[in-house]
Amino acid sequence: MKGKALLTALVLGCASLAAQPGFAASGEDLLKSMEKGGWQTVAPGVMQRDLGHGKTETLGFGADGLRFRIQQTTELLSFLRQEYANHPTPNVRKSIRVMKAEIERLNQALESAKSMDEAEGLAALNDKASGGIDCTIKYGAHVNAFPLSSGSQGVGATADAYFNSNCGQTGEVTAFSYSTATGADNVIRTATHNDPLSGIRSGVNVTANTSDNVVGVRDCYSTARATMTSYDLGITYDQSVENRSCPVPVSPLNLSVSSNWGGYVEVYGTQCVSVTWTASASGGTSPYSYAWYAGATYLGSGSSYTRNFCGTNTNKTQSYTVTATATDSTSPAQSKSVSYGNTIYYYSTGGCTQPMQSTSDGKIICPQ
């Protein structure tokens, strides 16, 4: 019996191998299916796929896959040694120790691994996934490297990996994250984490995860790597990512609207009263643009809008609401709308030739 879901495991990276009877796939068939899924051969026994946003996943098998993983880990070790020379910290020293131990285990596995070409490697893995209809193997990894948000400028990184099997095979998982940035005070800050920090996370049901972040305004860099290695299956899998941006976090857009008359406007006789509403935006990214509306009717642009209310020498009350919408220059742009309600009181002056006045008890009188 062959592992039918092996194809899904290899193509998706986040593997789910479920052995089922009555299926046999050659290495050549699996390679073709993987290429259709976006995988590319980058070295003997090694395939990679671009996941976008700076992320790459790598699948290796057999001795060739182990050699490629050793090369990747050695490059990371060299980076950490340089980092320790420039900015010695306990966590970097621990990470160096973890990487050296990982390389040693990989070299030991390489010594006992059989050399196999791509087709043989895939076919062998297909055979190893066999084990009955209830046999399942799942593995995967997730990585992220990103600029900070929520009001802080800097970078961060996260990584996790997992392996689950009820078929008897075991897997080894690791997670690594690193961040560095220079602050406004010209101090370089770094953060480095590994999981595990000592020992090995290996078994039929194991996970590893880590995260870190630093605050800074320039020279930002963060990276993460998560790996799964199954010496029983003869495969290596990992995801890696890099980020070099630390843009200034954009604050939420705020908007307020005021009126030169407040919410209540009094109009006497046939006089006209000019009311001006003013919009004021803050936050987000300037410059701002404004638009004014009365319901669905567009009134105009600019930071203020003016309208005249003229009386007909009759008593009546009118409600009038304007809505200001502000849009900032963030990409993508932020928009916010605020409405301002007004009540306009119109008064008849009768035989009075002067504007009516309000008394302390609320009555409207004609001044003498």
Side-chain angles (χ1 to χ4, degrees):
M1 293 186 292
K2 303 292 183 179
K4 183 174 181 180
L6 171 62
L7 177 61
T8 303
L10 298 178
V11 173
L12 296 182
C14 182
S16 175
L17 289 77
Q20 296 184 19
F23 177 82
S26 68
E28 183 178 356
D29 292 337
L30 291 172
L31 284 172
K32 289 181 179 179
S33 297
M34 291 180 69
E35 289 170 353
K36 290 181 180 179
W39 291 88
Q40 294 182 337
T41 300
V42 296
V46 181
M47 303 192 78
Q48 283 186 341
R49 182 165 62 173
D50 183 3
L51 299 177
H53 305 289
K55 297 180 184 180
T56 302
E57 62 178 342
T58 303
L59 177 69
F61 39 86
D64 290 328
L66 288 171
R67 291 188 188 97
F68 192 82
R69 170 66 66 75
I70 291 170
Q71 177 185 337
Q72 286 181 308
T73 309
T74 301
E75 291 173 354
L76 182 55
L77 176 60
S78 177
F79 166 79
L80 287 172
R81 283 172 168 164
Q82 184 61 49
E83 171 63 21
Y84 187 75
N86 296 332
H87 312 288
T89 64
N91 275 356
V92 174
R93 186 174 64 251
K94 292 176 182 177
S95 294
I96 291 173
R97 185 172 63 245
V98 169
M99 295 298 170
K100 290 173 65 177
E102 182 180 350
I103 292 173
E104 183 177 347
R105 293 194 303 274
L106 291 168
N107 277 316
Q108 290 174 353
L110 181 60
E111 289 298 321
S112 59
K114 294 180 179 179
S115 297
M116 56 184 70
D117 61 26
E118 292 179 354
E120 291 172 344
L122 288 169
L125 176 56
N126 205 26
D127 289 332
K128 289 183 179 181
S130 304
I133 194 169
D134 295 325
C135 178
T136 60
I137 302 172
K138 298 180 181 179
Y139 65 87
H142 307 90
V143 293
N144 198 12
F146 47 86
L148 299 183
S149 57
S150 302
S152 296
Q153 188 175 2
V155 287
T158 63
D160 69 78
Y162 66 90
F163 179 88
N164 306 111
S165 170
N166 64 357
C167 311
Q169 294 92 346
T170 62
E172 178 182 308
V173 293
T174 69
F176 166 80
S177 60
Y178 169 84
S179 300
T180 182
T182 301
D185 54 2
N186 292 321
V187 174
I188 299 174
R189 295 173 175 84
T190 66
T192 310
H193 292 91
N194 271 91
D195 186 16
L197 271 177
S198 61
I200 304 172
R201 292 198 186 279
S202 179
V204 298
N205 186 4
V206 286
T207 60
N209 61 81
T210 185
S211 66
D212 60 60
N213 63 76
V214 294
V215 176
V217 297
R218 67 180 187 278
D219 303 327
C220 290
Y221 175 73
S222 60
T223 184
R225 184 183 80 150
T227 73
M228 189 290 301
T229 306
S230 177
Y231 303 115
D232 293 339
L233 293 173
I235 58 174
T236 62
Y237 175 77
D238 68 77
Q239 285 193 18
S240 61
V241 64
E242 288 187 341
N243 167 69
R244 296 184 181 276
S245 65
C246 56
V248 178
V250 178
S251 60
L253 178 63
N254 299 307
L255 177 65
S256 62
V257 178
S258 60
S259 167
N260 64 330
W261 272 84
Y264 301 96
V265 181
E266 294 181 335
V267 181
Y268 296 98
T270 58
Q271 71 176 150
C272 292
V273 172
S274 179
V275 180
T276 298
W277 297 269
T278 302
S280 178
S282 61
T285 304
S286 63
Y288 311 105
S289 61
Y290 301 91
W292 295 88
Y293 300 88
T297 302
Y298 174 70
L299 302 176
S301 61
S303 60
S304 63
Y305 172 70
T306 299
R307 175 187 171 95
N308 289 329
F309 295 92
C310 298
T312 58
N313 204 30
T314 57
N315 295 315
K316 64 177 182 179
T317 302
Q318 175 188 1
S319 295
Y320 188 79
T321 299
V322 294
T323 298
T325 297
T327 303
D328 75 349
S329 298
T330 304
S331 180
Q334 299 184 83
S335 292
K336 185 155 188 174
S337 298
V338 171
S339 296
Y340 195 103
N342 305 266
T343 302
I344 296 82
Y345 296 97
Y346 296 91
Y347 298 108
S348 170
T349 61
C352 185
T353 59
Q354 301 182 57
M356 302 293 283
Q357 294 182 352
S358 298
T359 64
S360 59
D361 58 2
K363 295 180 180 179
I364 303 298
I365 62 172
C366 179
Q368 302 296 320

